[in-house]
Amino acid sequence: AAQVVVMGPDDVIVSVMSSLNKPFGSGILTPSGILLNSQILDFSWPNKTEGTTPNPHNRLQPGKRPLSFLMPTVVRPAVGLCGTYVATGSSNGEKALSGITQVLLNVLSSRKNMSDSLAYGRLHPQLEPNTLLVDSEFLDEDIKFLQSKGHKVERKELLSLVESTRRNNDVIIGVKDPRSADALALNI
Amino acid sequence: LVADKEPSPETTLGSAYSPVDYMSITSFPKLPEDDVLPGENAMKSRKEDDNVLSEQDTDPDLFLKSARLQRLPSSASDLATHEDGTFRETTTDPFTQECACQRDGLTVIITACLTFATGVTIALIVQIYCGDPQVFNQGAVVTDVAQCTSLGFGVLEKQGSSVDAAIAAALCLGIVHPHTSGIGGGGVMLVHEIRKNDTRVIDFRETAPSVITEDMLQTTLDAKPGLLVGVPGMLSGLNQAHQLYGRLPWKDVITMVADVARNGFNVTHELAQALADAKNQNMSKAFEDLFLPNGQAPLSGVFSRRMDLAIILDAVAVKGISEFYSGNLTQEIVAAVQEKGGVLTEEDLNKYSTVLRKPAEINYQGHHVMAPPAPHAGIALLTALNILEGYNITNQLSRQSTFHWIAESVKIALAMASEIGDPMFDTSVSEIVAKMLSKPHASQFRQMIDDSQTFSADHYTQTFTLEKGAG
């Protein structure tokens, strides 16, 4: 998925996630150059994959939108206008859920700055098979701690890319995920 | 204190000695001697403190004369004409209101100053609220691609709105990162207005074509990739966002994006990797001609242009999104899909509409967290936060101690997410959503988490298969 996060001088916060589903979508290219999506793959249907249980609420129907893990997220103070605002988004399907959760915990609960919050190693609990994935930034001692709780830990190079902006009163900062070589955050 | 409550002649005289107010004394009625007596002590005290008033000033008539003489020292030539006989006792103010300003320059000056200050203050307030900003406030733009971040930033510098910037950057990503998004796809936008405290979710995800059935998908989809294509929503959604929040003209925003395609960009690391992966797959000849010239994936840093997309975007800038949803492009898209075994029709594109939703939201440790509602998994994020809130995670806790809680909470949230779908087609989804957003329900899940060991997701709740790469 592609991510855009903007906090502008007009006091409006925007987070956009867009997608073609698979890389290059369906691979179908129209004569004028439009690549078409493969979003039907996000629906569930019987016999789609062997040994799976399709989600009955996500069955294919004309005009219907499928379940998606596009999760542009905005945080504002619960009371009043003063305090911390966060806008964030993440790529890579269901791994966006664990990515955003951990970044928000780092910022809102652990009171870490945004750069550190994005840089820390991340984990992702995979349902099938029941494995705990961790990324390359995750510390070995933390893996041992998790293994002591019975987690089957598997290390992956990259789990998700999270881009974020944060506003504290009148100070706004945008931060890109340090795992991305191409992303850029620009601040006024 | 007595003088404050009931002004006696003496106190009035005392205050009248003020140069500002002496005029009122000139018309002061003659004071009976008897009236002075109750304030005799105060009078004495006043006399002691006052170096100007003499003994004879206790007589109001004499005071009036001396006061006038004291206040007109520069009018010495006129004094000659002001003999004692010219002073008469009056019952009305001889100085009418109309000519008061001529008599007291200080009053005029003070009035003018106050008027001027009031005017300036009002003008400043009006300028702050209605005028152009004199100081360019802070802002930030973040995207997956440096060039698209710069484009979004440029839109802000041209006084575009945050949504204008987001529209330009999102379309730019479709040009520079065609493996992740594009006008042939869809997405979700969340917009929060701080001052109005108003939030909208603009859902422009693709929809299933009108004649597609599950039976059609019981085939080898690699042979019929056209069946995978949903009705694209990207341009419709961004146009809707622009209508709601845009500040620059649509044409200007889209033309700036078209310029990126026209003027070119460098292939990013990510695109180079995606193209290298695509090279090993069975892609169409048109795809290979465009993205894999000479059968080779371009390296990162190679300069590239997309004149084809520039032409499309120029047309959309001028004619609007009807060019895509009910114009020549529509027929072309339908033909390309049907050629690959798909069932997309022109009517599907004609009828596509963006959905405006309110966000799913919870309070988390004094913060209000907002995410897209079903069929998006934003509510799963809120479920995870609801569960984790009960652990009272603070910066006093080591990060390591939270990992197990995070792993189990996200696992539960994922399992719950595997149940949701489009609530517009299945009303029972609303019940699942209500359960996912419930704090008491989160508390029950938290009690099921064992701090010393992990469980699989079905220990907590039923699970369905999550489609690989969803979104």
Side-chain angles (χ1 to χ4, degrees):
Chain A
Q3 309 175 59
V4 176
V5 187
V6 181
M7 277 190 185
D10 54 358
D11 289 338
V12 173
I13 302 171
V14 191
S15 180
V16 194
M17 305 288 303
S18 54
S19 162
L20 291 172
N21 190 266
K22 292 200 301 181
F24 301 106
S26 62
I28 298 174
L29 187 71
T30 70
S32 56
I34 301 169
L35 262 172
L36 296 172
N37 66 83
S38 56
Q39 217 61 256
I40 300 301
L41 285 172
D42 277 359
F43 284 107
S44 310
W45 62 84
N47 307 319
K48 185 179 179 185
T49 313
E50 204 172 318
T52 60
T53 316
N55 170 4
H57 305 292
N58 192 36
R59 298 282 289 270
L60 180 66
Q61 279 180 266
K64 192 174 179 178
R65 287 172 164 83
L67 164 65
S68 93
F69 278 87
L70 299 181
M71 292 189 285
T73 304
V74 170
V75 178
R76 67 168 172 81
V79 180
L81 295 177
C82 299
T84 299
Y85 292 82
V86 178
T88 190
S90 175
S91 63
N92 212 5
E94 66 189 64
K95 296 180 183 69
L97 174 60
S98 52
I100 295 174
T101 303
Q102 288 165 88
V103 168
L104 288 184
L105 282 179
N106 290 336
V107 175
L108 305 178
S109 297
S110 301
R111 311 278 176 181
K112 302 291 182 188
N113 65 46
M114 188 55 88
S115 299
D116 288 346
S117 299
L118 290 177
Y120 287 136
R122 294 187 202 127
L123 56 79
H124 176 77
Q126 192 171 253
L127 299 187
E128 297 170 14
N130 180 22
T131 310
L132 187 63
L133 306 178
V134 298
D135 70 10
S136 56
E137 304 297 319
F138 214 80
L139 301 176
D140 287 337
E141 62 196 72
D142 295 335
I143 292 176
K144 284 176 187 165
F145 171 81
L146 287 165
Q147 285 171 332
S148 72
K149 306 271 185 186
H151 292 278
K152 290 177 190 169
V153 183
E154 190 180 328
R155 195 186 280 279
K156 296 276 184 185
E157 180 62 28
L158 181 71
L159 290 178
S160 57
L161 294 175
V162 183
E163 318 292 4
S164 292
T165 57
R166 176 181 185 162
R167 173 174 173 157
N168 265 70
N169 299 321
D170 286 336
V171 179
I172 300 174
I173 182 171
V175 184
K176 70 153 196 160
D177 196 318
R179 296 161 184 81
S180 171
D182 303 315
L184 175 68
L186 279 177
N187 299 295
I188 299 170
Chain B
L1 287 174
V2 172
D4 285 345
K5 287 176 182 174
E6 288 183 26
S8 67
E10 294 80 6
T11 54
T12 309
L13 281 170
S15 65
Y17 183 66
S18 157
V20 176
D21 294 329
Y22 88 94
M23 282 293 185
S24 59
I25 302 305
T26 60
S27 60
F28 206 86
K30 184 176 180 181
L31 301 173
E33 288 289 333
D34 293 344
D35 293 345
V36 178
L37 294 174
E40 196 170 3
N41 291 335
M43 185 72 151
K44 282 180 181 175
S45 172
R46 186 74 185 175
K47 281 178 185 171
E48 287 167 6
D49 294 340
D50 197 331
N51 295 325
V52 179
L53 290 176
S54 61
E55 287 287 328
Q56 62 183 4
D57 290 334
T58 52
D59 182 337
D61 285 342
L62 292 174
F63 171 78
L64 291 174
K65 291 173 189 173
S66 63
R68 173 159 288 188
L69 288 171
Q70 284 170 29
R71 297 305 301 171
L72 298 169
S74 61
S75 304
S77 60
D78 294 336
L79 285 176
T81 61
H82 288 255
E83 296 173 2
D84 287 354
T86 61
F87 291 98
R88 294 195 309 271
E89 184 178 338
T90 62
T91 53
T92 58
D93 188 347
F95 303 101
T96 57
Q97 194 64 31
E98 289 76 17
C99 62
C101 60
Q102 294 171 1
R103 296 189 311 269
D104 191 349
L106 192 58
T107 306
V108 175
I109 290 168
I110 290 171
T111 306
C113 287
L114 286 173
T115 307
F116 181 73
T118 307
V120 168
T121 306
I122 291 170
L124 281 172
I125 292 168
V126 170
Q127 168 66 24
I128 288 167
Y129 284 98
C130 305
D132 290 333
Q134 301 301 302
V135 178
F136 198 48
N137 295 324
Q138 287 204 328
V141 180
V142 193
T143 78
D144 297 331
V145 175
Q147 191 167 353
C148 298
T149 300
S150 301
L151 178 67
F153 201 77
V155 172
L156 289 182
E157 285 183 330
K158 288 186 176 179
Q159 304 300 310
S161 67
S162 296
V163 171
D164 286 334
I167 290 169
L171 286 172
C172 171
L173 287 174
I175 296 167
V176 184
H177 269 188
H179 58 296
T180 61
S181 76
I183 57 174
V188 194
M189 178 187 284
L190 197 150
V191 184
H192 175 67
E193 293 178 276
I194 293 175
R195 288 187 195 178
K196 291 183 184 172
N197 192 14
D198 185 49
T199 311
R200 275 201 183 109
V201 174
I202 302 171
D203 186 345
F204 48 96
R205 279 224 85 193
E206 303 88 330
T207 54
S210 57
V211 295
I212 199 167
T213 63
E214 284 185 347
D215 291 341
M216 293 176 182
L217 301 174
Q218 307 291 338
T219 181
T220 309
L221 291 170
D222 287 346
K224 290 186 174 179
L227 283 172
L228 303 180
V229 180
V231 187
M234 189 79 171
L235 279 174
S236 172
L238 297 183
N239 185 253
Q240 173 82 74
H242 183 265
Q243 284 177 7
L244 291 170
Y245 302 102
R247 190 183 292 165
L248 295 180
W250 170 257
K251 185 185 174 188
D252 292 359
V253 175
I254 305 303
T255 301
M256 288 170 80
V257 184
D259 287 342
V260 172
R262 193 169 15 251
N263 299 331
F265 53 89
N266 293 320
V267 172
T268 64
H269 295 87
E270 204 180 298
L271 175 59
Q273 184 60 52
L275 287 170
D277 294 342
K279 185 186 159 192
N280 303 321
Q281 296 166 18
N282 186 23
M283 305 304 274
S284 68
K285 186 169 185 311
F287 183 93
E288 289 179 352
D289 289 345
L290 181 63
F291 292 111
L292 304 168
N294 305 317
Q296 295 299 316
L299 299 173
S300 64
V302 168
F303 188 73
S304 180
R305 280 197 177 95
R306 287 295 303 274
M307 294 307 294
D308 49 355
L309 287 181
I311 293 167
I312 292 173
L313 289 167
D314 282 339
V316 170
V318 176
K319 298 175 186 172
I321 59 168
S322 59
E323 181 68 8
F324 188 91
Y325 289 98
S326 56
N328 292 334
L329 288 174
T330 316
Q331 295 165 7
E332 182 193 290
I333 291 167
V334 168
V337 170
Q338 291 182 354
E339 189 185 325
K340 297 287 183 181
V343 292
L344 192 70
T345 63
E346 284 186 41
E347 195 180 7
D348 289 330
L349 282 152
N350 296 162
K351 286 186 175 175
Y352 181 85
S353 63
T354 295
V355 177
L356 290 178
R357 305 178 194 270
K358 295 307 284 182
E361 47 200 346
I362 59 156
N363 279 345
Y364 174 81
Q365 290 188 346
H367 301 89
H368 200 70
V369 186
M370 297 170 283
H376 307 286
I379 42 177
L381 168 70
L382 306 183
T383 303
L385 290 175
N386 268 343
I387 297 171
L388 287 163
E389 188 177 32
Y391 289 114
N392 293 319
I393 296 170
T394 64
N395 53 3
Q396 302 300 314
L397 281 175
S398 71
R399 289 188 69 242
Q400 192 181 63
S401 63
T402 66
F403 289 143
H404 176 66
W405 295 331
I406 294 171
E408 297 302 288
S409 301
V410 172
K411 191 185 293 179
I412 294 167
L414 275 172
M416 295 292 287
S418 73
E419 274 193 82
I420 59 177
D422 190 342
M424 292 169 77
F425 286 77
D426 190 339
T427 50
S428 63
V429 171
S430 302
E431 293 169 25
I432 301 166
V433 169
K435 207 166 142 185
M436 292 175 75
L437 297 177
S438 155
K439 296 266 184 191
H441 208 75
S443 178
Q444 286 174 20
F445 279 130
R446 193 164 47 249
Q447 285 164 14
M448 293 170 75
I449 294 173
D450 188 328
D451 283 356
S452 61
Q453 63 174 321
T454 179
F455 294 105
S456 61
D458 52 15
H459 167 76
Y460 301 106
T461 184
Q462 66 174 336
T463 61
F464 298 98
T465 301
L466 283 170
E467 309 308 330
K468 292 292 176 196

